[in-house]
Amino acid sequence: MSGISPMRRSAAGRMPLPPLVTPRVLGVDDFALYGDTHGTLLIDATTRLPLTLWEGRDAEQLSRWLRAHPGVEIACRDGSLTYRQGIADGAPDAVQVSDRFHLWQGCPGAFRKSPPPHRGCLPAALPAPEPAGPEPPSTTTEARQEHPPAGTPNGFSRPSTR
């Protein structure tokens, strides 16, 4: 922490925290402390700032927190049945969604489980690739530096998605 004297650092550490504002979109996740000991972390999913954490993964504690902080409209969580129950009890009107990590983690399994007759539909659901831009007007080094190919920022090509 260059530029901050030890006196200022210690004084800043004693400042009161700002008041907690109930987020519209709440992130709920667990983490491992050590061994079989886990904790729960609540995050404001809009600002990505942590709100609170506690030891354990307990539906009742989550529902108590939600009842004490009304206003959560969307709860983003993993597939935990404990968190599902805690959110349902504490914020019954909140929409529960899977977080991005667990959504992507579950995609390959969902595709494998899709009925074989429908597997051919998956490529049709993908957007069509963008057409390639026109060739540059000249192949000289000067022209390429002044005018990168159309559709490529700063002349860099995008990696292939195939």
Side-chain angles (χ1 to χ4, degrees):
M1 291 191 195
S2 62
I4 299 177
S5 71
M7 182 65 91
R8 285 185 164 232
R9 279 197 306 262
S10 63
R14 290 188 293 244
M15 291 176 51
L17 293 172
L20 179 75
V21 177
T22 301
R24 190 178 80 76
V25 183
L26 177 71
V28 181
D29 207 355
D30 61 347
F31 61 94
L33 290 168
Y34 49 86
D36 288 335
T37 305
H38 292 83
T40 298
L41 173 65
L42 302 184
I43 299 169
D44 181 330
T46 304
T47 63
R48 297 182 180 183
L49 293 174
L51 300 171
T52 190
L53 57 95
W54 59 75
E55 185 176 339
R57 295 180 283 196
D58 182 28
E60 181 55 36
Q61 189 168 8
L62 177 57
S63 66
R64 276 194 312 267
W65 189 92
L66 288 166
R67 284 191 296 272
H69 301 88
V72 172
E73 297 174 22
I74 301 169
C76 183
R77 62 172 179 83
D78 62 12
S80 167
L81 297 177
T82 301
Y83 293 148
R84 182 179 77 179
Q85 188 63 49
I87 295 165
D89 292 346
D93 294 332
V95 175
Q96 296 189 42
V97 297
S98 181
D99 63 37
R100 191 179 339 183
F101 173 80
H102 292 93
L103 186 63
W104 279 111
Q105 188 180 39
C107 279
F111 290 145
R112 280 193 303 274
K113 292 177 183 176
S114 66
H118 296 288
R119 288 194 185 133
C121 301
L122 294 175
L126 297 174
E130 294 181 19
E135 291 295 318
S138 171
T139 58
T140 66
T141 306
E142 287 181 65
R144 280 192 300 244
Q145 289 175 348
E146 290 179 26
H147 305 286
T152 59
N154 301 324
F156 295 107
S157 61
R158 291 177 33 186
S160 173
T161 57
R162 294 182 191 197

